[in-house]
Amino acid sequence: MDTSKFVLIIANKCKNFLLKIFPYEWLKKIKGKMIEKSLEELQIIEIQPFIRTLNADGINLVGNFKAETGLGQSCRLVADEIIASGISCSLYQYEQLGIMAEGQYGDYEEKVSSNLPHNINVLHINPHEIGLAFMQNHEKIWNGRYNIGFWLWELEEFPEQWTPCFHCVDEIWTPSEFITNAVRKKTSLPVVTIPYHIEASVKGNYNRSDFSLPDNQFLFLMMYDRTSMTKRKNPEGVIKAFKKAFKPNENVGLVIKINNCTETEIGCLKRDLAEYCNIYFLTEIMERDRVYGLIRCVDAVVSLHRAEGFGLVLAEAMYLGTPVIATNWSSNTEFMTSEIACMVDYQLVEIKEDIGLFKKGNYWAEPDIGHAAAYMRMLFESPVQCEILAGKAQKYIQKYLNMGRGTAIVRQRLKEIYKEDTL
């Protein structure tokens, strides 16, 4: 463990330098080997059991609060729910290995601590990286505390190779029943669904010119982060549907927002759209308020994902009153129905080769491109239908994914952990 810990510390401190001198794919393979090794070592570790009186009651939330990714936004939403619950809490910044962009602590600055003062940890670190986190911080973070993993996953089967992670947590929280059901198949530990809340208000007065977008076109938006796995997010599917629905000279456009992208990836997408001049690529890392402003400025959001761990962009678009077209499979179906969104038909297909974390032999959705194209055409031709759909979705999401729902579950679960009637 000591040698591995030293290597990880050096890698973290030097990651920007390493990315300049070594190919990204090579570094990715090295990280993969480190993850495999760390998962093996998790099976033989010893963690001191939970003793409530060792630390003050409350929650230490451990995660990457600064990451400008879906995972970073998830961590911030969990922080908001814990803070709103009235439970004493502190935030511990966990530095991930990788190339993701990072912002600032912002409103969370006063809650950030390196002392971990509380007796419950919520470890917002996905299972494949739990081993790396443990190798760096196990005595400081884990020992003597009640450890809860907050995990996201996108397929119906939780990976067998991640089961050693159960050894270093006392229970698991997830944001959706889809993930909860996948995890429960592999463990007898408590697994609890803590749904996100959505409060995507826009503070700035944004218009299309702020994003160099035209005012006179009906605009569809798809957005994703390359670190979340491009094949899963399926931008090619959206492009195929757009090309099937519209001819190059029609008064309609497609906005493709990509975080942490490469020139190679953008080049591939542009080649698929060579005959279209109404495609707009946005690659800057935006603050959340600016992202929300972009979502409000377009006419519809499209996601032809093959799998979703939650679907935050979709929920945020619905909250903001922007119509959504999305694949009718995985976690997003817990807050989306055909009455409030355009739900695209799909077939479950076997994954034929390993694609990052998604291993061959598993299944995910292949959305129906023709069905998606028909929805795109319908929204383009019917402003009234857009308005009706957006209004229904906005009312539903504001009621269903509200702050009170999540905080009530958090408070109830802590009462059960502490074996008390009240907190």
Side-chain angles (χ1 to χ4, degrees), residues 119-374:
N119 54 18
I120 293 178
N121 289 328
V122 175
L123 305 158
H124 196 290
I125 303 169
N126 272 342
H128 70 283
E129 290 206 6
I130 278 281
L132 297 183
F134 190 88
M135 288 162 65
Q136 295 174 77
N137 302 288
H138 75 285
E139 291 182 357
K140 180 177 182 180
I141 292 180
W142 267 263
N143 282 341
R145 295 183 172 88
Y146 190 90
N147 296 299
I148 301 170
F150 193 101
W151 293 349
L152 291 95
W153 179 235
E154 291 86 8
L155 303 182
E156 289 180 311
E157 295 297 322
F158 186 81
E160 185 65 31
Q161 64 268 33
W162 293 355
T163 55
C165 299
F166 296 129
H167 185 55
C168 62
V169 295
D170 297 288
E171 71 177 66
I172 300 98
W173 291 357
T174 89
S176 74
E177 283 296 308
F178 181 86
I179 308 172
T180 291
N181 290 334
V183 176
R184 278 181 181 151
K185 295 176 188 176
K186 296 291 178 71
T187 183
S188 59
L189 294 173
V191 187
V192 181
T193 302
I194 311 288
Y196 295 132
H197 71 285
I198 304 297
E199 293 180 351
S201 57
V202 183
K203 299 174 183 176
N205 186 25
Y206 298 99
N207 54 54
R208 289 189 176 184
S209 63
D210 293 309
F211 307 99
S212 300
L213 297 174
D215 288 322
N216 62 345
Q217 289 182 350
F218 188 103
L219 294 180
F220 292 95
L221 168 68
M222 73 150 301
M223 55 190 299
Y224 69 100
D225 192 305
R226 188 174 67 87
T227 62
S228 295
M229 199 59 59
T230 300
K231 279 286 187 182
R232 177 174 71 81
K233 292 295 189 177
N234 193 24
E236 296 90 348
V238 175
I239 289 170
K240 287 177 181 178
F242 182 81
K243 291 171 69 174
K244 189 175 183 67
F246 306 107
K247 296 176 182 178
N249 60 351
E250 293 192 73
N251 194 34
V252 60
L254 176 61
V255 182
I256 302 177
K257 172 75 179 77
I258 316 175
N259 279 6
N260 298 302
C261 63
T262 66
E263 289 300 323
T264 300
E265 182 163 337
I266 291 178
C268 290
L269 296 177
K270 285 183 175 180
R271 281 194 292 274
D272 289 338
L273 291 158
E275 70 271 36
Y276 287 77
C277 61
N278 48 354
I279 311 300
Y280 311 97
F281 286 89
L282 302 178
T283 58
E284 66 171 295
I285 302 296
M286 300 179 183
E287 295 180 351
R288 294 312 300 176
D289 190 61
R290 189 168 169 82
V291 171
Y292 297 153
L294 173 63
I295 292 172
R296 271 232 310 234
C297 283
V298 299
D299 296 287
V301 168
V302 188
S303 174
L304 299 186
H305 57 266
R306 294 185 167 101
E308 270 294 356
F310 188 80
L312 272 175
V313 170
L314 306 179
E316 288 165 348
M318 293 165 70
Y319 186 98
L320 290 166
T322 302
V324 174
I325 301 171
T327 310
N328 193 21
W329 190 73
S330 58
S331 292
N332 62 296
T333 62
E334 293 176 28
F335 59 84
M336 301 177 75
T337 70
S338 58
E339 294 183 356
I340 59 176
C342 298
M343 305 303 288
V344 176
D345 293 341
Y346 67 93
Q347 288 186 334
L348 279 183
V349 299
E350 185 177 354
I351 301 174
K352 297 297 185 182
E353 60 181 3
D354 291 352
I355 303 171
L357 301 175
F358 308 102
K359 305 304 181 183
K360 64 181 179 181
N362 284 287
Y363 288 81
W364 60 14
E366 192 60 48
D368 184 324
I369 299 302
H371 196 208

Side-chain angles (χ1 to χ4, degrees), residues 318-319 389-400:
M318 293 165 70
Y319 186 98
L389 203 64
K392 287 182 178 179
Q394 190 172 47
K395 288 180 181 177
Y396 180 82
I397 212 74
Q398 290 178 359
K399 179 179 179 181
Y400 183 72

Side-chain angles (χ1 to χ4, degrees), residues 362-422:
N362 284 287
Y363 288 81
W364 60 14
E366 192 60 48
D368 184 324
I369 299 302
H371 196 208
Y375 274 136
M376 294 175 90
R377 191 81 211 179
M378 179 194 73
L379 293 183
F380 171 65
E381 293 179 346
S382 179
V384 173
Q385 184 62 25
C386 275
E387 188 174 346
I388 292 172
L389 203 64
K392 287 182 178 179
Q394 190 172 47
K395 288 180 181 177
Y396 180 82
I397 212 74
Q398 290 178 359
K399 179 179 179 181
Y400 183 72
L401 293 180
N402 62 75
M403 177 72 83
R405 184 171 173 231
T407 56
I409 299 172
V410 170
R411 289 183 61 83
Q412 178 60 33
R413 188 60 198 139
L414 260 65
K415 283 192 286 185
E416 293 165 356
I417 292 169
Y418 288 140
K419 297 180 172 59
E420 294 186 353
D421 293 330
T422 58

